[in-house]
Amino acid sequence: MKKLLILIPALIFCITASSQTQFIKGWTLWCEYQQNNMQQTSDNGYIMCTDAVPEMDSVNQLAWCYLIKLDVNGNMQWMKKFAKSSYFMKANDGNAVVQTSDGGYAIGTVMYTSNPTTFNSHTAIYVVKVDGNGNLLWSATYPGIGNSSAYCIQETSDLGLIISGNTVDTNTTVSYFYLLRLDNLGNFVWGKTYDYQGTGASLFSVSQTQDGGYITSGSDGSFGVVAKMDQLGNVTWSQRFSNSTTSSENDIIELSNGNGYVSCGSHYNEPGVATLTRFNLAGTPQWSHNYLPPSSVSTSGYDESYSVVESTDGFTLSEAEMSGPGKAKLLHVDTTGAPLWTRDYEYTSYFLPIDLEYCNDGGYAFCSGYYDAWGNWDVSMTKTNSTGITTCHDSLLLDSAGIATMPVAVTLNSASAGQRLPITTTILNENSPSKDYCSLNYEGITELPIKNELSLYPDPADHELYLQLPDDRSQTMNCVVVNSLGQEVWKGKFMSCGRNCPLTIPLDALPNGVYLVRIESDANSRYAGRFIVAH
């Protein structure tokens, strides 16, 4: 009984008994089609960049890039913004951010530079370097061979920058893979195009490897591609997932022991599946798995995987469950790709893909989004413990693994391209009230109090638990029960008439233990309480 009682405060205050920090925080900003846009920082906080579409700036009609610095608990330390265009344009391109060795940050994004009356606008890779407080150090654009976009930015061993994306020949409209190498002041070192031509060729991920070269992944517009380059961007090997279905490889990492690589992506068969593939140093695929959602998930939707990290006992993928409104998921597998656990986060919707970080405390952090009750599009940051638990809004799933088609070797030829064009960037201070999705405490907004008048009986309970509310109003009540691990184990919806007709929760399917019940009503009343099941 003593062990059970120790867990009660953890349930009430949304923290675990371990030293791992957990939170879900959000801000009313736009965040669409972005990956590589967050990172844990050297002070154990987080840096995140995101867009805000012009609808959020009805006066100036500017597309903004936001840079948000959080502390270890997800509290906002500062927020900065700078304009990416001077006209009304939906800014749904990728943003990427990395902390640099000097304690500052480098942002890779897109600058729009042509006529505001057309959506076929000229674009250039836009790199902004700021100090640790978000103040501008330098900025420049890099047009490539035409329209260019950045999807990932990383620091190199000589303190320069490597950027992956695409560049489009404006005469032929052919899209090329693109790698851009800069020094620490943003000066152009080299740029390489790769001739896997297509209508949507893009490199979504790049990182420097232990041999000084680079590993990268993306899509040629139809199929996923991974490639290894040397220090000058020359191709060492490349592989293409040329199966019968459309695919994309969205992220690739080098293993910590330096003995190979793991990439994640999606295969868009019916239903679409997340994939994970292991390569050796020579680029030979060792195994490839796809991951099927449980049968309870609609087969009319699909899963996509956008980010992979290595942990102590295997790998973890961030996924988008695209059935219904869409939800963020974490899938944890062992070193052979076999699933260990899967969680989805039911507060998330629409803002996909999501970036994932394996944190210093052994937990995970990812960026996603939320469409809140006021009709706002929010960008959010979620921090879990080592098993994906947030203590709120997470559910345990049972995904299964299947064998995926192995990629095959292809030839990529490279050519040099690129230049640097300095640009004036004005960085402004910004503020947006933080929203705590665990406690539903909106900073700057009067908090809806959790009422303690909720009566639970009997306690301990056996077959049924009765909930008596102090409010006599008729109202719809949403009820959720979570166990001592923070896992949602039951939920239901009731029409309550108050203290004279208590609600009933069935308990036969629940094992003995301590549980937390949360109730929210359409009349903005909220209640919480704990109880014990003892059969």
Side-chain angles (χ1 to χ4, degrees):
M1 182 62 70
K2 183 177 180 181
K3 291 183 179 180
L4 292 175
L5 293 175
I6 291 174
L7 290 169
I8 294 170
L11 287 169
I12 296 174
F13 294 106
C14 286
I15 58 174
T16 62
S18 71
S19 61
Q20 294 177 331
T21 301
Q22 295 143 273
F23 59 82
I24 307 176
K25 299 291 181 70
W27 302 266
T28 301
L29 301 170
W30 189 271
C31 175
E32 185 181 53
Y33 298 120
Q34 298 180 62
Q35 55 200 94
N36 308 304
N37 64 325
M38 59 84 65
Q39 182 189 17
Q40 188 172 35
T41 51
S42 57
D43 62 356
N44 293 323
Y46 305 89
I47 190 71
M48 175 172 56
C49 66
T50 185
D51 279 342
V53 296
E55 286 91 337
M56 297 295 188
D57 183 2
S58 58
V59 176
N60 301 300
Q61 294 191 344
L62 296 178
W64 296 99
C65 182
Y66 282 78
L67 191 64
I68 305 170
K69 177 64 175 70
L70 310 178
D71 66 16
V72 66
N73 296 310
N75 301 309
M76 189 177 71
Q77 295 176 291
W78 49 259
M79 181 185 292
K80 305 283 186 175
K81 70 177 183 179
F82 58 89
K84 297 169 54 170
S85 68
S86 58
Y87 54 87
F88 189 96
M89 176 102 180
K90 184 179 181 183
N92 64 346
D93 47 83
N95 287 315
V97 66
V98 65
Q99 186 175 37
T100 50
S101 297
D102 61 2
Y105 307 97
I107 304 104
T109 184
V110 175
M111 167 62 73
Y112 302 99
T113 60
S114 73
N115 194 316
T117 63
T118 175
F119 283 98
N120 298 317
S121 301
H122 183 80
T123 63
I125 291 174
Y126 185 20
V127 179
V128 179
K129 180 67 170 66
V130 300
D131 64 18
N133 295 314
N135 302 307
L136 180 69
L137 297 177
W138 56 261
S139 60
T141 59
Y142 307 84
I145 61 173
N147 290 332
S148 301
S149 299
Y151 289 95
C152 185
I153 187 168
Q154 296 292 326
E155 188 176 46
T156 54
S157 57
D158 63 354
L159 307 186
L161 298 168
I162 185 73
I163 301 160
S164 69
N166 68 359
T167 186
V168 180
D169 188 319
T170 52
N171 295 317
T172 65
T173 69
V174 172
S175 180
Y176 296 85
F177 295 140
Y178 192 41
L179 283 185
L180 175 63
R181 181 73 163 83
L182 309 177
D183 67 14
N184 66 328
L185 297 177
N187 298 310
F188 179 82
V189 177
W190 53 257
K192 295 280 188 179
T193 63
Y194 303 91
D195 71 353
Y196 225 92
Q197 303 173 10
T199 58
S202 297
L203 292 177
F204 299 129
S205 173
V206 66
S207 58
Q208 191 169 35
T209 51
Q210 296 179 32
D211 62 3
Y214 305 95
I215 190 71
T216 188
S217 67
S219 171
D220 64 9
S222 297
F223 302 110
V225 175
V226 298
K228 176 71 172 64
M229 285 76 169
D230 66 16
Q231 296 181 16
L232 298 177
N234 302 308
V235 179
T236 302
W237 57 260
S238 54
Q239 294 274 353
R240 185 176 189 241
F241 290 74
S242 53
N243 53 21
S244 60
T245 61
T246 303
S247 60
S248 177
E249 290 303 295
N250 296 319
D251 193 18
I252 190 166
I253 58 172
E254 184 178 26
L255 300 180
S256 57
N257 60 15
N259 289 333
Y261 313 94
V262 168
S263 72
C264 74
S266 305
H267 289 176
Y268 302 101
N269 54 350
E270 290 294 333
V273 293
T275 63
L276 190 69
T277 305
R278 168 79 156 81
F279 300 88
N280 66 14
L281 283 175
T284 304
Q286 305 298 291
W287 48 257
S288 187
H289 295 303
N290 57 34
Y291 298 97
L292 303 172
S295 57
S296 60
V297 176
S298 170
T299 57
S300 63
Y302 54 91
D303 278 12
E304 299 184 69
S305 180
Y306 291 97
S307 186
V308 59
V309 295
E310 184 181 12
S311 57
T312 55
D313 60 345
F315 309 101
T316 304
L317 295 78
S318 67
E319 293 185 33
E321 181 186 303
M322 299 300 290
S323 59
K327 289 183 288 189
K329 293 173 61 176
L330 293 186
L331 167 64
H332 184 59
V333 303
D334 65 18
T335 55
T336 69
L340 297 176
W341 52 259
T342 309
R343 295 189 184 276
D344 70 358
Y345 302 87
E346 296 187 2
Y347 74 96
T348 62
S349 62
Y350 296 108
F351 290 157
L352 305 165
I354 46 179
D355 196 8
L356 177 66
E357 285 280 307
Y358 184 57
C359 300
N360 295 334
D361 64 0
Y364 300 95
F366 63 85
C367 177
S368 186
Y370 180 69
Y371 188 68
D372 71 18
W374 288 268
N376 298 313
W377 290 102
D378 297 345
V379 60
S380 69
M381 179 77 76
T382 299
K383 172 64 173 64
T384 80
N385 70 3
S386 58
T387 58
I389 293 173
T390 63
T391 72
C392 63
H393 298 300
D394 55 86
S395 300
L396 192 64
L397 302 177
L398 296 173
D399 286 11
S400 59
I403 302 300
T405 304
M406 291 287 194
V408 296
V410 295
T411 300
L412 285 178
N413 297 316
S414 61
S416 296
Q419 59 178 311
R420 180 183 193 267
L421 300 175
I423 189 172
T424 300
T425 299
T426 301
I427 295 182
L428 304 174
N429 292 316
E430 184 63 25
N431 185 43
S432 177
S434 297
K435 303 176 182 181
D436 189 331
Y437 292 118
C438 259
S439 68
L440 296 181
N441 176 19
Y442 284 46
E443 295 175 13
I445 300 175
T446 301
E447 183 185 6
L448 302 174
I450 294 179
K451 299 181 179 181
N452 297 317
E453 304 98 312
L454 177 66
S455 297
L456 304 175
Y457 61 91
D459 187 19
D462 187 359
H463 301 292
E464 291 180 324
L465 178 74
Y466 299 98
L467 293 76
Q468 189 171 32
L469 303 177
D471 197 330
D472 284 333
R473 290 178 295 174
S474 295
Q475 51 190 315
T476 301
M477 311 297 297
N478 294 301
C479 181
V480 175
V481 176
V482 298
N483 64 15
S484 59
L485 296 177
Q487 300 165 343
E488 183 181 295
V489 295
W490 186 89
K491 63 181 177 182
K493 180 177 288 189
F494 303 95
M495 176 58 72
S496 170
C497 58
R499 62 171 62 91
N500 295 321
C501 47
L503 312 177
T504 304
I505 297 177
L507 303 178
D508 288 339
L510 300 183
N512 292 344
V514 177
Y515 296 85
L516 174 73
V517 59
R518 299 193 302 263
I519 299 177
E520 299 175 11
S521 78
D522 56 3
N524 291 333
S525 296
R526 296 189 293 137
Y527 307 90
R530 63 99 179 165
F531 63 95
I532 297 172
V533 173
H535 296 302

